[in-house]
Amino acid sequence: MEDKNDLMEKIVSLCKRRGFIYQGSEIYGGLAGTWDYGPLGVALKNNIKNLWWRMFVDGRDDMYGIDAAILMHPKVWEASGHVSGFSDPLGNTRFNLMFETKVGTGEEATKSYLRPETAGGIFVNFKNIVDSFHPKLPFGVGQIGKAFRNEIAPRDFVFRTREFEQMEIEYFIRDSEWEKSFEEWRTEVCRFNDAVGITKKSVHELEVPDSERAHYSKRTIDFEFDFPFGRKELYGLAYRTDFDLSAHERASTVELKYQDPETNEKFTPHVIEPSFGVDRTVLAVLISAHTEDELGGEKRTYLKLKPAIAPVKAAVFPLLKNKPELVGKAREVYAALKKEIPQIVWDDNGNIGKRYRRQDEIGTPWCITIDFDTLTDDTVTVRDRDTGEQQRMPTVELSSLILKKLSVIV
Ligand code: GAP
């Protein structure tokens, strides 16, 4: 079996070499706990976020999306309990993990915080969503965005960073429904893991004991993943009760209740919260996809990414780069395909074997080669990343073949 540290090193090095993830502020020696996503990393990350949004926001009738400000009124974090309770032990003291900042200038400046979770932006917009859309309970609000924590020990690549992204849902329910809703979201988390290609047998559910749960939660399940550096939290699913809405109602003095349109009964909804870290998803996806095998008697490394997640869907090559008629035809095929499938690339560097290796290493599912036959019969070869098999097909069928394979079942 492969040495686990070895695997982590291979992934970090592949990410840097191929333009997925770079150390933050690298030319200045780096800034601990920050990472920059390069062209392929941002594409991978966007594909993951888009899939999440499609599955949990656009794909459902009971969900609303928002994009709230990162800077929020400092009272938000007092009411939520983060000012008093969001801390880690450091020496003999507790160290608050929130980043402080100043909003405004001079005497007018007030202390605020960079949000430590995106959830806060959802709770403070509860009333806005209810007033604008009159949703029927149960309904949820989803948000994707940056969160910041001054982690004492950022480590393990993008696993624990000081600036990261979350994809969070606050699903508002009647308190009597919490167990049913909790189970439904538990299934949804597993469905998302499958959709992005996280290895099922590497995910384990941990019932978080009372003493370790966040201050707002009455029940939490951590979805843990077998990372090369140990079994660690990938996502959390929490029953936050009516803790947040009640706390914000008290602190803001604005009523944050739901009125049943049929019975006129007024009450504070309870909340189930599935919380997904984007960066941990990226890492779990890369670890799940990283594969080494032998193809045609040669060792190779490839990323067995789901096509919907792969940063590049297909690469188009002219068989030889010094034959203008081949290059011209290949450019034509490339341009037509790119209009329909933007995440494709042109590659004419080195020989075909090298191009295949390069595309395998970044997880490109298909390589399309334009050769001399293309000039007469308008067919191309399509090579499959996982099997290495090549299939001849008419150029006009390319986009429908790829688009069909890109559609995910959600
Ligand atoms: N709103 C609930 C909440 O924030 P959490 O368990 O503290 O709960 C949720 O964080 C998710 O955010 C985690 O499961 C993880 O995926 C991600 N996350 C938390 N801290 C992180 C960090 N320092 N670096 C990267 N991801 C982090």
Side-chain angles (χ1 to χ4, degrees):
M1 213 184 107
E2 181 166 40
D3 184 279
K4 292 192 164 177
N5 292 329
D6 225 43
L7 173 61
M8 215 39 219
E9 263 174 40
K10 283 178 186 168
I11 286 175
V12 174
S13 126
L14 187 154
C15 281
K16 178 168 165 57
R17 198 173 60 251
R18 293 291 183 212
F20 281 86
I21 302 172
Y22 308 114
Q23 193 183 2
S25 312
E26 189 179 8
I27 61 166
Y28 286 95
L31 178 68
T34 65
W35 296 89
D36 295 343
Y37 285 78
L40 296 187
V42 70
L44 175 67
K45 199 155 78 133
N46 283 341
N47 293 342
I48 288 170
K49 291 194 283 185
N50 289 340
L51 193 145
W52 185 93
W53 195 265
R54 197 172 128 196
M55 243 175 124
F56 296 134
V57 181
D58 288 343
R60 297 174 58 126
D61 296 329
D62 58 349
M63 288 289 304
Y64 298 83
I66 64 160
D67 183 16
I70 289 172
L71 293 172
M72 300 184 75
H73 198 291
K75 282 190 179 158
V76 170
W77 306 112
E78 283 166 27
S80 68
H82 284 80
V83 172
S84 57
F86 194 57
S87 56
D88 271 355
L90 183 66
N92 295 326
T93 57
R94 307 266 328 161
F95 173 78
N96 195 295
L97 297 179
M98 284 196 293
F99 277 103
E100 280 181 20
T101 188
K102 288 224 169 72
V103 178
T105 49
E107 303 223 323
E108 301 284 296
T110 49
K111 183 166 88 175
S112 190
Y113 306 92
L114 302 184
R115 67 182 178 200
E117 57 170 6
T118 59
I122 298 182
F123 291 120
V124 302
N125 279 289
F126 170 80
K127 186 176 170 351
N128 285 331
I129 300 286
V130 168
D131 290 349
S132 305
F133 299 93
H134 309 289
K136 277 215 169 135
L137 220 61
F139 71 91
V141 180
Q143 172 166 228
I144 300 178
K146 291 256 179 171
F148 302 82
R149 295 182 191 177
N150 201 0
E151 298 281 1
I152 294 169
R155 62 160 68 106
D156 297 320
F157 198 31
V158 294
F159 175 80
R160 183 176 291 111
T161 59
R162 291 184 167 135
E163 175 178 343
F164 54 96
E165 257 181 304
Q166 292 183 317
M167 305 180 280
E168 295 202 298
I169 294 163
E170 305 303 324
Y171 198 71
F172 300 101
I173 53 167
R174 285 180 164 77
D175 60 349
S176 58
E177 293 170 336
W178 81 265
E179 276 149 317
K180 179 171 151 273
S181 184
F182 197 91
E183 281 312 309
E184 282 167 8
W185 282 105
R186 185 186 198 157
T187 312
E188 289 301 286
V189 173
C190 299
R191 219 160 62 84
F192 177 74
N193 282 342
D194 286 347
V196 289
I198 291 176
T199 308
K200 216 185 205 124
K201 66 176 190 333
S202 303
V203 179
H204 310 273
E205 291 180 25
L206 174 82
E207 188 74 47
V208 180
D210 289 8
S211 57
E212 287 170 34
R213 275 200 305 267
H215 59 279
Y216 49 70
S217 174
K218 214 165 161 185
R219 183 181 179 197
T220 300
I221 286 181
D222 279 352
F223 289 81
E224 296 190 314
F225 181 78
D226 292 322
F227 289 98
F229 42 85
R231 187 174 288 183
K232 300 266 168 75
E233 179 184 338
L234 175 63
Y235 307 136
L237 174 64
Y239 170 37
R240 284 179 88 130
T241 67
D242 58 352
F243 175 87
D244 299 272
L245 287 183
S246 298
H248 289 304
E249 182 173 276
R250 275 194 306 275
S252 66
T253 69
V254 174
E255 187 178 82
L256 299 177
K257 291 203 169 53
Y258 176 81
Q259 183 163 24
D260 187 300
E262 272 143 38
T263 63
N264 282 338
E265 176 203 4
K266 247 188 194 179
F267 57 93
T268 310
H270 281 226
V271 162
I272 303 294
E273 179 196 65
S275 178
F276 304 73
V278 177
D279 313 80
R280 288 189 191 176
T281 310
V282 168
L283 187 53
V285 162
L286 288 172
I287 291 163
S288 301
H290 191 272
T291 314
E292 288 175 347
D293 70 355
E294 249 182 47
L295 194 66
E298 262 184 65
K299 281 201 164 143
R300 68 159 180 165
T301 298
Y302 72 106
L303 292 182
K304 203 173 178 168
L305 295 169
K306 290 239 175 165
I309 294 302
V312 176
K313 309 306 183 199
V316 178
F317 316 150
L319 180 66
L320 300 167
K321 87 179 205 192
N322 56 359
K323 296 280 178 224
E325 65 276 35
L326 278 188
V327 174
K329 180 66 188 170
R331 280 280 176 200
E332 213 180 90
V333 173
Y334 173 72
L337 206 54
K338 199 162 178 72
K339 267 195 205 141
E340 294 193 57
I341 306 162
Q343 289 183 317
I344 67 165
V345 297
W346 169 265
D347 193 352
D348 60 7
N349 250 324
N351 63 35
I352 287 280
K354 283 213 177 100
R355 297 178 204 165
Y356 285 157
R357 293 290 167 277
R358 200 159 44 233
Q359 296 301 329
D360 285 348
E361 221 188 356
I362 64 168
T364 306
W366 300 287
C367 290
I368 297 159
T369 306
I370 282 74
D371 57 21
F372 289 103
D373 287 344
T374 317
L375 302 178
T376 53
D377 64 7
D378 221 9
T379 65
V380 292
T381 58
V382 180
R383 180 228 187 223
D384 180 274
R385 173 197 67 200
D386 302 346
T387 61
E389 276 166 21
Q390 298 184 23
Q391 193 194 337
R392 191 110 210 145
M393 65 182 313
T395 50
V396 291
E397 288 176 20
L398 278 174
S399 67
S400 60
L401 166 98
I402 297 175
L403 286 171
K404 202 161 87 195
K405 300 211 175 176
L406 287 183
S407 63
V408 250
I409 303 122
V410 291

